[in-house]
């Protein structure tokens, strides 16, 4: 019996699983950030989004529709900081790890 390599299929499955994990984490953290964002008009909340374009990271941020969001998140000389993105990540590290674990488990089991 000859050895048959399935390396390409395994690598593809891992790549797809990683992309699902990044998208699931991005969706969760974005929702958390939106819930935490201070609201005056709702524009900044609606403009909070994510991008999982990289193979190993998710960028959570606010679109250019709300350029003032950096001053809300970090504060300025005239405004106290009201962070909503960083706490959405840092307060949910356990949940993020759980999402990653559950996503890989489901993806690898074929469900």
């Amino acid at each position: 019996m000859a050895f048959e390599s399935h390396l390409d299929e395994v690598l593809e499955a891992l790549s797809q699983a990683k992309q699902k994990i990044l998208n699931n984490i991005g969706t969760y953290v974005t929702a958390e950030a939106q819930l935490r964002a201070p609201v005056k008009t709702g524009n900044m909340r609606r403009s909070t989004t994510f991008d999982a374009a990289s193979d190993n990271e998710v960028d959570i941020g606010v679109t250019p529709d709300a350029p003032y969001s950096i001053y809300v998140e970090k504060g300025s000389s005239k405004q106290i900081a009201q962070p909503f993105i960083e706490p959405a990540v840092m307060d949910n590290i356990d949940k993020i790890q759980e999402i990653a674990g559950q996503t890989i488990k489901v993806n690898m089991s074929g469900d």
Side-chain angles (χ1 to χ4, degrees):
M1 178 198 262
F3 173 76
E4 186 177 336
S5 174
H6 293 280
L7 179 61
D8 290 341
E9 292 91 355
V10 170
L11 292 175
E12 180 60 29
L14 287 171
S15 178
Q16 288 177 6
K18 188 188 305 186
Q19 196 58 43
K20 282 184 182 180
I21 290 167
L22 294 174
N23 283 321
N24 289 349
I25 291 170
T27 299
Y28 179 80
V29 174
T30 297
E32 282 291 312
Q34 289 170 334
L35 288 172
R36 295 164 186 254
V39 178
K40 188 171 183 178
T41 66
N43 183 54
M44 187 171 63
R45 181 177 279 177
R46 285 187 304 274
S47 299
T48 303
T49 188
F50 77 94
D51 180 23
S54 165
D55 205 24
N56 294 312
E57 64 184 45
V58 178
D59 294 324
I60 312 288
V62 180
T63 66
D65 297 334
Y68 50 86
S69 64
I70 187 68
Y71 303 112
V72 175
E73 178 79 15
K74 299 293 185 184
S76 71
S77 62
K78 297 179 182 179
Q79 177 175 320
I80 189 165
Q82 299 175 71
F84 61 102
I85 295 174
E86 184 175 343
V89 174
M90 300 311 293
D91 293 349
N92 288 294
I93 296 296
D94 290 341
K95 181 65 177 175
I96 290 167
Q97 290 173 338
E98 180 184 322
I99 289 169
Q102 287 298 319
T103 303
I104 194 78
K105 182 178 176 182
V106 168
N107 197 65
M108 290 291 126
S109 69
D111 293 342

